[in-house]
């Protein structure tokens, strides 16, 4: 906190944290986008990451019909590549 702001009623501050997890799914629930593989809370890529993640997951489910673990593994591999490209962009 900056000096003098703790007494200012107009000033608001909140801690930003990022939680990392090894698993993005449990049962039939899958996290995509920032909820699963956000590179930074300030990247501005939340919606596009979610759309790409949903698109890739749908494609992998279609390609691996009846083999959900294979679909989730493929999503994870694709998301890792996407995350690296986002990091490379800065």
């Amino acid at each position: 906190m900056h000096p003098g702001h703790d007494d200012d009623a107009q000033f608001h501050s909140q801690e930003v944290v990022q939680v990392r997890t090894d698993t993005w799914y449990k049962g039939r629930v899958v996290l995509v986008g920032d909820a699963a593989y956000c590179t930074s809370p300030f990247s501005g890529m939340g919606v596009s990451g979610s759309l790409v993640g949903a698109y890739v997951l749908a494609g992998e489910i279609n390609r691996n019909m009846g083999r959900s673990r294979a679909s989730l593994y493929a999503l994870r591999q694709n998301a890792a590549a996407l995350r690296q490209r986002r990091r490379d962009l800065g």
Side-chain angles (χ1 to χ4, degrees):
M1 183 73 79
H2 295 287
H5 289 302
D6 48 349
D7 296 331
D8 187 350
Q10 299 298 314
F11 182 80
H12 176 73
S13 170
Q14 185 171 346
E15 182 180 13
V16 175
V17 297
Q18 186 176 25
V19 177
R20 295 180 186 213
T21 179
D22 292 331
T23 305
W24 303 335
Y25 63 91
K26 183 172 184 178
R28 296 173 54 110
V29 176
V30 179
L31 301 176
V32 296
D34 284 356
Y37 36 82
C38 175
T39 56
S40 165
F42 305 108
S43 69
M45 300 288 289
V47 172
S48 60
S50 296
L51 292 172
V52 169
Y55 178 82
V56 170
L57 178 58
E60 294 302 337
I61 289 171
N62 186 50
R63 194 166 64 100
N64 295 291
M65 242 356 154
R67 299 178 315 154
S68 60
R69 290 219 183 261
S71 298
L72 295 171
Y73 179 77
L75 172 65
R76 186 179 182 98
Q77 296 304 107
N78 281 298
L82 175 63
R83 185 175 55 240
Q84 187 58 50
R85 275 183 259 148
R86 288 161 103 188
R87 285 182 181 153
D88 292 344
L89 291 174

